[in-house]
Amino acid sequence: MSEASGDNPASVSNDAIRDEVQSWLADNWDPEAMKKGAFGPLGRDWTAKVVDAAWAATRWPKQWYGRDYNDAQARIVETEFARVGAPGTGQDRINLWANTVLTFGNEQFKKKYVPALLKSEINMCLLYSEPGAGSDLAGLRTRAERDGDEWVVNGQKVWTSGAATADYGMLVARTDWESPKHGGISFFFCPMKQPGVEVRPLRQITNESHFNEVFLTDVRIPATNLLGPLNGGWRVLQTALAYERSMMGEGARGPRSGAKGASEKGEEELIALAREAGRLSDPVLRQDIARVIAYKKLNALNTARAKAELEQGTSSPIMSLGKLAMSRILHEEAKLRTNLLDAGSLLESSDYPRAEDANFLTLNAYFTSIGGGTDQIQRNIIGERVLGLPKEPEVDRDVPFRSVRSS
Amino acid sequence: MSEASGDNPASVSNDAIRDEVQSWLADNWDPEAMKKGAFGPLGRDWTAKVVDAAWAATRWPKQWYGRDYNDAQARIVETEFARVGAPGTGQDRINLWANTVLTFGNEQFKKKYVPALLKSEINMCLLYSEPGAGSDLAGLRTRAERDGDEWVVNGQKVWTSGAATADYGMLVARTDWESPKHGGISFFFCPMKQPGVEVRPLRQITNESHFNEVFLTDVRIPATNLLGPLNGGWRVLQTALAYERSMMGEGARGPRSGAKGASEKGEEELIALAREAGRLSDPVLRQDIARVIAYKKLNALNTARAKAELEQGTSSPIMSLGKLAMSRILHEEAKLRTNLLDAGSLLESSDYPRAEDANFLTLNAYFTSIGGGTDQIQRNIIGERVLGLPKEPEVDRDVPFRSVRSS
Amino acid sequence: MPELDDSERNELQNTVARLLADRSSESDVRKTMETETGFDPALWQLLAEMGIVGLLIDEQFGGYGAGAMEIERVMEEVGAALLCSPLLASAVLAASVLGASGDDDAQRRLLPDMAKGTSIATIALTGTEGSWTPEGVAVRAESNGTDWTLSGTASFVIHGQNADVVLVVANTEQGTALFQVEPSELGTAIRALPTFDHTLRLAEIEFAATKAQLIGEDGNGWPAVEQGLNLTRVALAGEQAGGARRVLDMTVEYAKNRVQFGRAIGSFQAIKHMAADLLLESESATSAARHAAMSLASTSDDAEPAISLAGFACADAFSAVTAASIQMHGGIGFTWEHPAHLYLRRARADAQLFGTPMFYRERYIQQLGG
Amino acid sequence: MPELDDSERNELQNTVARLLADRSSESDVRKTMETETGFDPALWQLLAEMGIVGLLIDEQFGGYGAGAMEIERVMEEVGAALLCSPLLASAVLAASVLGASGDDDAQRRLLPDMAKGTSIATIALTGTEGSWTPEGVAVRAESNGTDWTLSGTASFVIHGQNADVVLVVANTEQGTALFQVEPSELGTAIRALPTFDHTLRLAEIEFAATKAQLIGEDGNGWPAVEQGLNLTRVALAGEQAGGARRVLDMTVEYAKNRVQFGRAIGSFQAIKHMAADLLLESESATSAARHAAMSLASTSDDAEPAISLAGFACADAFSAVTAASIQMHGGIGFTWEHPAHLYLRRARADAQLFGTPMFYRERYIQQLGG
């Protein structure tokens, strides 16, 4: 056992960690093999290797595939993986599923699922939103009723991605209708491969189908698959949502033809586009181009400052602004791209990629301004949690859920 | 008695009315005399003449200086007065004071004050807003307590104009602290010339003082000066506010050097200003100029359409939009004027009238966006009364006022 | 048709509204927009029988001789119902350009069938840059003394693929002129364009020494085109105002009924205040469209700026209302099955046809003497 | 001064914040802004003793040799406290232009007293058009071979009426050059301008064959001016960011405490959502100002666009926050006695000095290669 994996991780020097991970990567990582598929489908064999060598979640305890590293130590590992382009580490930050199970599962449950989730051996989906419970997730009406050693679930979920291929879904359902809304919800690890689960693709305004509606009819879940306390699911959900948020943020999609993520170098693309469209000399559009580029750059600067402040231990109010900022970036860029094209934006199809970009972005910007909490909900959160402004009166907060008004 | 003032006003022909008013004006109106002050201070003698000839409030009943005219008939009179530039008619639409007294006073009270108010023989002011009751006027805390044949008033009012010269103030005060907020308010006709009334000018951000703070200390009001029922003052106030609103609307002030009112010909002035500043060729500013001119023009078109619809008997949702539109016009025009001047806007004083215009408008635009109900309150009103959207939960609505939270 | 008064115009509008409520429901629109021609011939015939298709065509040619104020009202309902049809192309643009062309022969030959709806007309006017101005004309006409041929590309030809009367604006040595081309001369040179707004049909036409017939006077074609464009811009403004109003109504209705946190979402200021601001936009659009129609109908001096004002105010209002509507609907507004995006697509198309808001604003300040 | 690290910069900023909390309270500002000179000489001396006045001046001339990152932080507090002082004119703009002038004699003669605060300097740079570019220079310098004279008008000279060191940028036959003029030569030719921002002092100077002394090289003056302007723009961005943050804090505090309808007004979405949007503006301004400072301090390629970005992002943020703040305060915000309008006035001034947001946006896209 090397020094870096010694008993007292805090005492392990940064250099020792760097040496160990570098030498392990040198011995094991092979980008060419990955490209050729030698690590199995989706590189799962590689991920398994990373997990078994305890690099997947170094901040976690040793008994759960980790190394008890602090954040700075874990960042060294992540930096070295990133340097050679190897995936699989940092799952203690970004693996929503494994984190949730580790935090809320009992020992037996964790033994069964944590390794499988770290190794991506099972496919997962999220069964949270409902047609009647969007912004107000706690207003959910999918019901779970106890029947012997099982729960029987009936209801409808929506905006679920990956439902068709999922082995399990993380499900919130109402288990007590007499308590106020937040107090009657439980959190389940729901087996998806069973007859009562019907998955229908949901067509988006972009004419894509990345999400599903999921109809649950007498779906059965073993009682052991309850995560966290009975009727204590709201807190589990909050934790899971926090993990999810830390995964997102960089995930917003730009124009259809572009890569994912709002690139910091977006300025070059927009200027090139204006030049190509013969509009770069238009003073009005130049102001708009500068504005949009600035929104992107400012968001990047905000994010960088927030990270720096977090690393210095100062909690930063800026983190929560990113989603709202991204929403504005996407909507404003869509308008700008439309104005650069003028009548060209009437068209769509792959023969007109610039028009398709502008039109796709116009529609898909709503994915960010609505999905994962609308801009309006986001402003509430910033106003209340960051600025400390008081909440609105909540008319349904202390009412038995059975009597709460619904659409 | 001429045909036009016959017993059945509905049967009076429009032509007969027009003839009568034209001939009366021909006999009595003398613009030169008015200019020279021959009609006394503020032309009060002229107004008295108009009142005595029953032209001041033709829609009112005959026993109250009116002619029982319908709206179309009254408009004929107003048109003829306007044609020759004579003031004094249409008070049944715009004389807030006289209308309120006529509607809510008892016979004796009306006899005493209605003629004096129509003839502008007494000066009035409004004692509504308080430092703690702005948007939430019903949250007022000025108290009136009964003492024999009088009420004794203590409290503070604010945003009162003309308080220093007023003979009477229309005052709302709380007379019952156990009822919910709207139910404990009474409406008084308050004598201002007494020792307990202290008037202090309020300095605005424009460095003008058009308003006062009024401190009321053991101010005494005869019991007969209660207008409307005891504790029924909220309804009286609503009526009075409606009269006030119909007086306003055209009253917003533009740039300091300009005349009152947002002229429909504002386009010419803004274009001339841009030309003078050498900025008319700037394509970015041209877009902004077009935008601001359009806001003004659209507001004028909306108002014209609303009037036409009202005349056709269709109720129009547009009327309530004018104040919100005006607020945007003023703020946007202020920005535009600033951009036309650039560094010139750093200056102020009468040597730099263009800068003074831009800077004054920048500040005074808040008079419209805050005064008489903020834009935010106005949006509530439009959303609820025009679009029929439901109200917010009102936490203080059914609570005894004594227990309502205040700042 | 004797001149209508305002209550008769209301009645005309209501009649169209009732027809479209019946025959251009959301499901009708979804069905029709996915067909190749993009319009419902039976409904088109009904509109012709009601006199809507011939509304702007002179009575002597079988139409009703109505004007800007009437078509504006009709188009408010067209926008509200997202009607899929060649109305704008044939009954408004082509009909009014022909009507202004001064070419009695062409009018006699073409207008009666257009009024009956048995013939569908369109105008090829702008090139691939999409500028509906004289500078935007990209087709060149040449004459050997007797016969004319056209060369060049015309794009964004509305319902070009469905037209049997194809009018073409082209540059000649004398200036601008209007031509007619037989569809049989075009063949594959006419190509349907894929549109983002599925309720719209556009085509591109390549002319290569294509035979054409002159309409009106050589070199003096633009005034008739401009006259027709102005009427069409007013009609389009009506469509935008009507669309904005309908989308706002739909959104307000949803906000009254959708409950979250135990309250209708319309009780939250975030939604309520957006709705109030949108009402201002929507009402201003209606005022602007109707004012432009009235100014044009009364040939007021004010007509040109009034049309430009409507051009940007209505486009901006329709865009703003449809964009906010999706946001206010939340998740359901992001689904294909909800009509919000269909209106957004139409609003985007309408904001481009015949001129963008930026173009109209620049034109407006010019027309005001700036 | 050895280069500071970030925590030392925080400490510097906190020190300034404490001093200004004590000596530049709202009532101090109101008192000082109504004096003729518009600054408090005792506070100015304190700032000099703390090293703030000499912060950017080289150690060999009695200063601290700090840079953009330090002055940016100091200016955040200056903006927050609405400090009335010639700091920007003398300690930032004049000091850094002199520092970049390469004129050792002039530096030796002028900088030590400027660092001590016993001398106040300013630069006359732009004409009455107010454009802080080479094209904006409206003073002409002429030489008879040995002596120079200046003619023309310079305007918007910050604290010109309080300066004993007046530097002037003028056009010569060789290009641009920097000069010094003795205040005794000016007399009534220097005239205080009435400012909308009462915390600011501006002057206009008429030169009529006024004697002047050349500083640095004839014809090569602009690079030093530009270098000083860039540092000054960063400093001003810091002032704007700090001002925006303070006004937002003040407004949020009010929204927590002001009760209407039985609730704190900050519980209403209309107020809460405005505050959230303003936080984004305010935080972005801080990021932009600090990034510009860092880019300039590290002489990164990115420095020019970073300064332009800060130029408009910080001006727009300060303007937006101060404008919304008055609205959010309601009636009380419309009174002279409330400080909201003092910040609005400062925000309007800051949005003009050295360039407008429109100017910076155009410059930004140019610098990005557009």
Side-chain angles (χ1 to χ4, degrees):
Chain A
M1 188 177 275
S2 77
E3 194 196 359
S5 42
D7 278 329
N8 183 355
S11 72
V12 180
S13 79
N14 290 352
D15 288 346
I17 294 174
R18 194 172 294 108
D19 288 349
E20 186 186 351
V21 65
Q22 279 177 352
S23 106
W24 186 86
L25 283 166
D27 291 347
N28 293 280
W29 174 238
D30 182 351
E32 289 309 310
M34 183 62 113
K35 260 186 222 154
K36 283 187 220 131
F39 286 119
L42 303 172
R44 278 202 192 115
D45 295 352
W46 166 254
T47 311
K49 219 186 234 296
V50 175
V51 172
D52 292 338
W55 293 122
T58 57
R59 293 169 188 82
W60 284 4
K62 285 198 204 134
Q63 61 269 40
W64 293 110
Y65 309 90
R67 291 169 176 250
D68 284 311
Y69 279 2
N70 62 31
D71 192 66
Q73 293 170 324
R75 294 273 172 195
I76 294 169
V77 176
E78 291 173 26
T79 304
E80 294 306 318
F81 268 66
R83 195 193 305 279
V84 300
T89 190
Q91 295 201 46
D92 39 14
R93 281 195 301 111
I94 61 169
N95 189 320
L96 147 71
W97 325 101
N99 275 285
T100 307
V101 169
L102 184 77
T103 311
F104 294 101
N106 63 30
E107 288 300 297
Q108 209 182 340
F109 196 85
K110 289 197 278 195
K111 278 203 184 115
K112 185 162 169 194
Y113 290 108
V114 166
L117 290 168
L118 286 177
K119 293 176 181 176
S120 303
E121 288 167 359
I122 49 182
N123 294 320
M124 297 290 301
C125 69
L126 295 174
L127 301 166
Y128 293 168
S129 297
E130 300 179 5
S135 290
D136 178 20
L137 199 49
L140 61 90
R141 291 179 173 264
T142 291
R143 58 174 64 234
E145 282 158 327
R146 188 64 181 254
D147 178 27
D149 278 352
E150 293 184 323
W151 290 91
V152 181
V153 180
N154 283 282
Q156 183 188 347
K157 293 290 177 178
V158 76
W159 301 115
T160 297
S161 66
T165 56
D167 300 301
Y168 295 90
M170 297 214 305
L171 167 78
V172 276
R174 189 160 303 279
T175 41
D176 178 356
W177 294 71
E178 305 309 326
S179 295
K181 59 195 283 195
H182 298 95
I185 295 169
S186 298
F187 196 103
F188 298 96
F189 203 79
C190 171
M192 294 291 283
K193 305 292 189 200
Q194 55 174 312
V197 176
E198 189 197 341
V199 176
R200 292 188 204 155
L202 193 66
R203 197 169 167 199
Q204 299 154 221
I205 51 177
T206 55
N207 211 355
E208 302 167 305
S209 288
H210 294 141
F211 300 95
N212 304 289
E213 293 180 288
V214 179
F215 295 84
L216 305 168
T217 312
D218 292 337
V219 164
R220 303 193 84 86
I221 306 179
T224 50
N225 285 23
L226 175 71
L227 288 183
L230 179 63
N231 297 325
W234 185 250
R235 206 173 61 79
V236 183
L237 178 66
Q238 291 313 303
T239 310
L241 287 174
Y243 288 127
E244 194 182 347
R245 255 179 243 121
S246 74
M247 286 167 61
M248 280 174 56
E250 292 146 44
R253 286 166 77 195
R256 183 169 268 171
S257 69
K260 282 203 180 190
S263 129
E264 272 194 55
K265 284 289 155 200
E267 58 248 43
E268 282 165 19
E269 200 201 335
L270 287 172
I271 290 170
L273 178 59
R275 190 174 278 127
E276 189 185 309
R279 308 295 300 277
L280 187 55
S281 61
D282 185 312
V284 182
L285 293 173
R286 289 173 71 83
Q287 291 281 314
D288 292 339
I289 295 169
R291 243 182 228 107
V292 172
I293 291 174
Y295 287 143
K296 294 183 172 202
K297 181 72 182 173
L298 292 171
N299 193 37
L301 293 176
N302 278 343
T303 306
R305 188 157 67 90
K307 280 188 182 159
E309 287 180 1
L310 282 174
E311 277 164 20
Q312 285 176 31
T314 326
S315 87
S316 176
I318 315 172
M319 279 314 247
S320 59
L321 296 171
K323 184 164 179 297
L324 195 59
M326 186 54 72
S327 165
R328 176 166 73 175
I329 289 169
L330 297 171
H331 282 286
E332 293 299 317
E333 182 173 341
K335 273 185 215 157
L336 173 61
R337 284 176 177 266
T338 303
N339 289 341
L340 290 175
L341 295 177
D342 276 358
S345 69
L346 286 161
L347 308 179
E348 78 170 357
S349 90
S350 49
D351 290 346
Y352 304 94
R354 292 313 197 179
E356 196 157 54
D357 281 353
N359 286 319
F360 174 76
L361 190 56
T362 298
L363 296 172
N364 206 57
Y366 291 98
F367 178 73
T368 296
S369 64
I370 292 174
T374 61
D375 284 356
Q376 287 67 39
I377 293 290
Q378 198 60 26
R379 290 192 184 95
N380 273 354
I381 292 173
I382 294 166
E384 289 162 18
R385 299 195 203 156
V386 182
L387 295 173
L389 292 167
K391 301 189 89 163
E392 291 200 87
E394 292 170 272
V395 296
D396 61 346
R397 188 159 187 103
D398 302 316
V399 183
F401 189 75
R402 197 175 290 288
S403 350
V404 165
R405 187 177 159 210
S406 67
S407 297
Chain B
M1 188 176 275
S2 76
E3 192 197 1
S5 43
D7 279 327
N8 184 355
S11 71
V12 179
S13 79
N14 290 352
D15 287 345
I17 294 174
R18 195 172 294 109
D19 288 348
E20 186 186 353
V21 64
Q22 279 177 352
S23 103
W24 188 86
L25 284 167
D27 292 348
N28 294 280
W29 174 238
D30 182 350
E32 290 308 310
M34 182 62 112
K35 260 186 224 151
K36 284 186 221 132
F39 286 117
L42 303 171
R44 277 204 193 114
D45 295 351
W46 167 253
T47 311
K49 220 184 233 298
V50 175
V51 173
D52 292 337
W55 293 122
T58 57
R59 293 170 188 82
W60 281 6
K62 288 200 200 131
Q63 62 269 40
W64 293 110
Y65 308 91
R67 290 168 176 250
D68 281 311
Y69 279 2
N70 61 29
D71 193 64
Q73 294 169 322
R75 293 273 172 195
I76 294 169
V77 177
E78 292 174 24
T79 304
E80 293 306 319
F81 268 67
R83 193 193 306 280
V84 300
T89 190
Q91 294 200 48
D92 40 14
R93 282 194 301 110
I94 60 169
N95 189 322
L96 147 71
W97 324 102
N99 275 285
T100 307
V101 169
L102 185 77
T103 310
F104 294 100
N106 63 31
E107 288 299 296
Q108 207 182 340
F109 196 86
K110 289 197 278 196
K111 279 203 185 114
K112 183 159 171 197
Y113 290 108
V114 165
L117 290 168
L118 286 177
K119 294 177 181 178
S120 303
E121 288 168 359
I122 49 182
N123 294 320
M124 296 290 302
C125 69
L126 295 174
L127 301 165
Y128 294 167
S129 297
E130 299 179 5
S135 292
D136 178 20
L137 199 49
L140 59 92
R141 289 175 173 266
T142 290
R143 58 175 64 231
E145 283 158 324
R146 187 68 180 253
D147 179 28
D149 277 352
E150 293 183 320
W151 291 91
V152 181
V153 180
N154 282 282
Q156 184 188 345
K157 294 289 176 178
V158 76
W159 300 116
T160 296
S161 65
T165 56
D167 300 301
Y168 294 90
M170 297 213 304
L171 166 78
V172 276
R174 190 160 301 278
T175 39
D176 177 358
W177 294 72
E178 305 309 327
S179 296
K181 58 196 281 196
H182 298 95
I185 294 170
S186 299
F187 197 103
F188 297 96
F189 202 80
C190 171
M192 296 290 283
K193 305 290 188 202
Q194 55 174 311
V197 176
E198 188 197 343
V199 177
R200 292 186 204 158
L202 193 66
R203 197 170 166 196
Q204 299 156 220
I205 51 178
T206 54
N207 210 355
E208 302 167 305
S209 288
H210 294 141
F211 300 95
N212 305 289
E213 294 180 287
V214 179
F215 295 83
L216 306 167
T217 310
D218 292 335
V219 165
R220 303 192 85 87
I221 306 179
T224 50
N225 285 22
L226 175 71
L227 288 183
L230 180 63
N231 297 323
W234 186 250
R235 206 173 61 77
V236 183
L237 179 64
Q238 292 314 302
T239 309
L241 287 175
Y243 287 127
E244 194 182 346
R245 257 180 241 120
S246 74
M247 286 168 60
M248 279 174 56
E250 292 146 43
R253 285 165 79 194
R256 182 169 269 171
S257 69
K260 280 205 181 191
S263 133
E264 271 194 57
K265 284 288 155 202
E267 58 247 45
E268 282 165 19
E269 198 201 337
L270 287 172
I271 290 171
L273 178 60
R275 190 174 277 128
E276 189 185 309
R279 307 296 299 277
L280 187 56
S281 61
D282 185 312
V284 181
L285 293 174
R286 289 174 69 82
Q287 292 281 313
D288 292 339
I289 295 169
R291 243 183 228 107
V292 171
I293 292 175
Y295 286 143
K296 294 182 172 204
K297 180 74 181 171
L298 291 171
N299 192 37
L301 293 176
N302 278 344
T303 306
R305 188 157 67 88
K307 280 187 182 159
E309 287 179 2
L310 283 173
E311 278 164 18
Q312 285 175 31
T314 324
S315 89
S316 176
I318 315 171
M319 279 314 248
S320 59
L321 296 171
K323 183 164 181 293
L324 194 59
M326 187 53 72
S327 164
R328 177 166 73 174
I329 289 168
L330 297 171
H331 282 287
E332 293 300 316
E333 182 174 341
K335 275 186 212 155
L336 173 61
R337 283 177 177 265
T338 303
N339 290 339
L340 289 175
L341 296 178
D342 276 0
S345 69
L346 285 161
L347 307 180
E348 75 169 359
S349 90
S350 49
D351 291 346
Y352 305 93
R354 293 311 197 179
E356 197 157 55
D357 281 351
N359 287 318
F360 174 75
L361 190 57
T362 298
L363 296 172
N364 206 56
Y366 291 98
F367 178 72
T368 296
S369 65
I370 292 174
T374 63
D375 283 356
Q376 287 67 40
I377 293 290
Q378 198 61 24
R379 290 192 183 96
N380 273 354
I381 291 172
I382 295 167
E384 290 162 19
R385 299 195 201 155
V386 182
L387 295 173
L389 291 168
K391 300 189 90 162
E392 290 199 89
E394 292 169 90
V395 297
D396 61 347
R397 188 159 188 100
D398 303 316
V399 183
F401 189 74
R402 198 176 288 287
S403 349
V404 164
R405 189 178 157 210
S406 66
S407 298
Chain C
M1 192 185 231
E3 197 158 282
L4 298 185
D5 69 18
D6 217 52
S7 76
E8 289 166 313
R9 261 178 234 119
N10 287 341
E11 185 42 36
L12 170 67
Q13 179 167 2
N14 291 339
T15 308
V16 175
R18 280 191 299 271
L19 175 73
L20 297 186
D22 193 33
R23 301 292 299 257
S24 177
S25 68
E26 186 191 333
S27 71
D28 294 326
V29 170
R30 285 182 184 273
K31 211 181 305 155
T32 307
M33 77 183 191
E34 299 304 342
T35 62
E36 197 183 327
T37 60
F39 74 102
D40 170 2
L43 177 54
W44 179 249
Q45 270 314 309
L46 270 178
L47 287 165
E49 283 159 26
M50 279 177 62
I52 302 301
V53 173
L55 197 66
L56 298 174
I57 293 174
D58 206 89
E59 285 161 292
Q60 59 170 313
F61 305 120
Y64 287 78
M69 293 177 81
E70 289 74 32
I71 194 69
E72 189 279 332
R73 293 298 198 91
V74 168
M75 293 300 289
E76 288 184 21
E77 297 309 319
V78 165
L82 274 181
L83 174 68
C84 302
S85 89
L87 198 65
L88 198 69
S90 185
V92 183
L93 182 55
S96 55
V97 171
L98 266 177
S101 70
D103 186 328
D104 200 55
D105 280 354
Q107 290 170 349
R108 249 170 243 293
R109 187 172 77 239
L110 302 173
L111 287 174
D113 285 348
M114 285 167 61
K116 271 184 266 168
T118 51
S119 173
I120 289 172
T122 191
I123 298 195
L125 203 167
T126 183
T128 51
E129 295 288 311
S131 164
W132 281 261
T133 59
E135 298 71 38
V137 174
V139 176
R140 178 95 211 145
E142 281 177 7
S143 164
N144 62 6
T146 48
D147 298 326
W148 288 89
T149 58
L150 305 181
S151 301
T153 304
S155 195
F156 308 109
V157 184
I158 307 173
H159 277 272
Q161 54 270 68
N162 296 319
D164 54 289
V165 174
V166 177
L167 306 177
V168 186
V169 182
N171 293 316
T172 70
E173 278 176 21
Q174 307 296 317
T176 310
L178 187 65
F179 296 88
Q180 187 191 354
V181 174
E182 290 302 324
S184 58
E185 298 287 332
L186 292 170
T188 59
I190 186 157
R191 185 169 69 87
L193 291 171
T195 52
F196 177 67
D197 172 10
H198 294 206
T199 69
L200 176 68
R201 288 297 176 274
L202 293 175
E204 193 164 287
I205 311 180
E206 295 278 352
F207 299 96
T210 310
K211 269 174 57 184
Q213 182 176 356
L214 179 68
I215 292 181
E217 229 177 287
D218 177 21
N220 202 18
W222 189 258
V225 173
E226 183 73 21
Q227 205 176 316
L229 267 179
N230 275 344
L231 191 55
T232 309
R233 284 170 171 144
V234 168
L236 189 70
E239 166 165 322
Q240 293 166 321
R245 178 76 225 190
R246 175 66 57 87
V247 173
L248 178 58
D249 286 347
M250 186 175 91
T251 308
V252 166
E253 204 48 35
Y254 181 76
K256 286 179 190 170
N257 293 307
R258 168 77 173 175
V259 172
Q260 293 282 276
F261 306 102
R263 313 157 43 177
I265 61 169
S267 71
F268 288 98
Q269 288 186 333
I271 298 293
K272 186 179 291 175
H273 291 192
M274 264 199 267
D277 286 336
L278 295 177
L279 181 66
L280 177 55
E281 296 306 313
S282 161
E283 290 296 336
S284 300
T286 303
S287 296
R290 292 190 184 176
H291 172 67
M294 197 186 64
S295 304
L296 189 60
S298 60
T299 61
S300 132
D301 282 352
D302 196 26
E304 294 275 339
I307 292 167
S308 297
L309 173 62
F312 65 88
C314 297
D316 286 341
F318 198 16
S319 296
V321 172
T322 53
S325 170
I326 296 182
Q327 184 68 26
M328 291 160 84
H329 276 88
I332 190 82
F334 193 64
T335 63
W336 186 270
E337 277 62 35
H338 194 278
H341 74 103
L342 301 181
Y343 284 94
L344 179 79
R345 289 168 188 265
R346 176 76 73 103
R348 282 172 69 74
D350 286 356
Q352 296 298 338
L353 291 174
F354 320 122
T356 64
M358 229 172 101
F359 165 84
Y360 285 123
R361 275 191 290 271
E362 174 55 38
R363 199 172 161 112
Y364 185 54
I365 186 169
Q366 277 174 31
Q367 289 160 339
L368 295 178
Chain D
M1 192 186 231
E3 196 158 283
L4 298 184
D5 68 18
D6 217 50
S7 74
E8 289 165 315
R9 261 178 235 119
N10 287 340
E11 185 42 36
L12 169 67
Q13 179 167 2
N14 291 338
T15 308
V16 175
R18 280 190 298 272
L19 174 72
L20 297 186
D22 193 32
R23 300 293 298 259
S24 177
S25 67
E26 186 192 334
S27 71
D28 295 327
V29 169
R30 286 183 183 270
K31 209 180 309 156
T32 307
M33 77 184 193
E34 299 304 342
T35 62
E36 195 181 330
T37 61
F39 75 102
D40 170 1
L43 177 54
W44 178 250
Q45 271 314 311
L46 269 178
L47 287 164
E49 283 159 27
M50 280 177 61
I52 302 302
V53 173
L55 196 67
L56 298 174
I57 293 173
D58 206 88
E59 283 160 294
Q60 58 171 314
F61 304 121
Y64 286 78
M69 294 177 79
E70 289 73 34
I71 194 69
E72 188 281 330
R73 293 299 199 89
V74 168
M75 293 300 288
E76 288 184 20
E77 297 308 320
V78 166
L82 274 181
L83 175 67
C84 302
S85 90
L87 197 65
L88 198 69
S90 185
V92 184
L93 181 55
S96 55
V97 171
L98 267 178
S101 70
D103 186 326
D104 200 56
D105 279 355
Q107 291 170 348
R108 247 171 245 293
R109 187 175 75 240
L110 302 173
L111 287 173
D113 285 348
M114 285 166 62
K116 271 183 268 170
T118 50
S119 173
I120 289 173
T122 191
I123 296 195
L125 203 167
T126 184
T128 51
E129 294 290 310
S131 163
W132 281 261
T133 59
E135 297 73 37
V137 174
V139 175
R140 179 96 210 144
E142 281 178 6
S143 165
N144 62 7
T146 48
D147 297 326
W148 288 91
T149 57
L150 304 181
S151 301
T153 305
S155 195
F156 308 109
V157 184
I158 307 175
H159 277 273
Q161 53 270 69
N162 297 319
D164 54 289
V165 174
V166 177
L167 305 177
V168 185
V169 182
N171 293 316
T172 70
E173 276 177 23
Q174 307 295 317
T176 310
L178 187 66
F179 295 89
Q180 187 191 354
V181 173
E182 290 302 323
S184 58
E185 298 287 333
L186 292 170
T188 58
I190 185 156
R191 185 170 69 88
L193 291 170
T195 52
F196 177 67
D197 172 11
H198 294 204
T199 69
L200 176 68
R201 288 297 176 276
L202 293 176
E204 192 163 287
I205 311 179
E206 296 278 353
F207 299 96
T210 311
K211 268 173 60 182
Q213 182 176 356
L214 179 67
I215 292 182
E217 229 178 286
D218 177 21
N220 201 18
W222 190 259
V225 173
E226 182 74 20
Q227 206 175 316
L229 268 180
N230 276 343
L231 191 54
T232 309
R233 284 169 170 145
V234 168
L236 188 69
E239 167 165 320
Q240 292 166 322
R245 177 78 226 188
R246 175 66 59 87
V247 173
L248 179 58
D249 286 348
M250 187 175 90
T251 308
V252 165
E253 205 49 35
Y254 182 75
K256 286 179 190 171
N257 293 308
R258 167 79 173 174
V259 172
Q260 293 282 276
F261 306 102
R263 315 159 38 179
I265 62 168
S267 71
F268 289 98
Q269 288 187 333
I271 298 293
K272 188 181 289 176
H273 290 192
M274 264 200 265
D277 286 337
L278 295 177
L279 181 65
L280 177 55
E281 295 306 313
S282 160
E283 290 296 335
S284 299
T286 303
S287 295
R290 292 189 184 176
H291 172 67
M294 198 186 64
S295 304
L296 188 60
S298 61
T299 62
S300 133
D301 283 353
D302 197 24
E304 293 275 340
I307 292 167
S308 296
L309 174 63
F312 64 89
C314 297
D316 287 340
F318 197 15
S319 296
V321 171
T322 52
S325 170
I326 295 182
Q327 184 68 25
M328 292 161 83
H329 275 87
I332 189 83
F334 193 65
T335 63
W336 185 271
E337 276 62 36
H338 194 279
H341 75 103
L342 301 180
Y343 284 93
L344 178 79
R345 289 167 188 264
R346 176 76 74 102
R348 283 173 67 76
D350 287 356
Q352 296 299 338
L353 293 175
F354 320 123
T356 65
M358 230 172 101
F359 165 84
Y360 285 123
R361 275 192 291 271
E362 174 55 38
R363 200 171 161 113
Y364 185 53
I365 186 169
Q366 278 175 31
Q367 288 160 339
L368 296 178

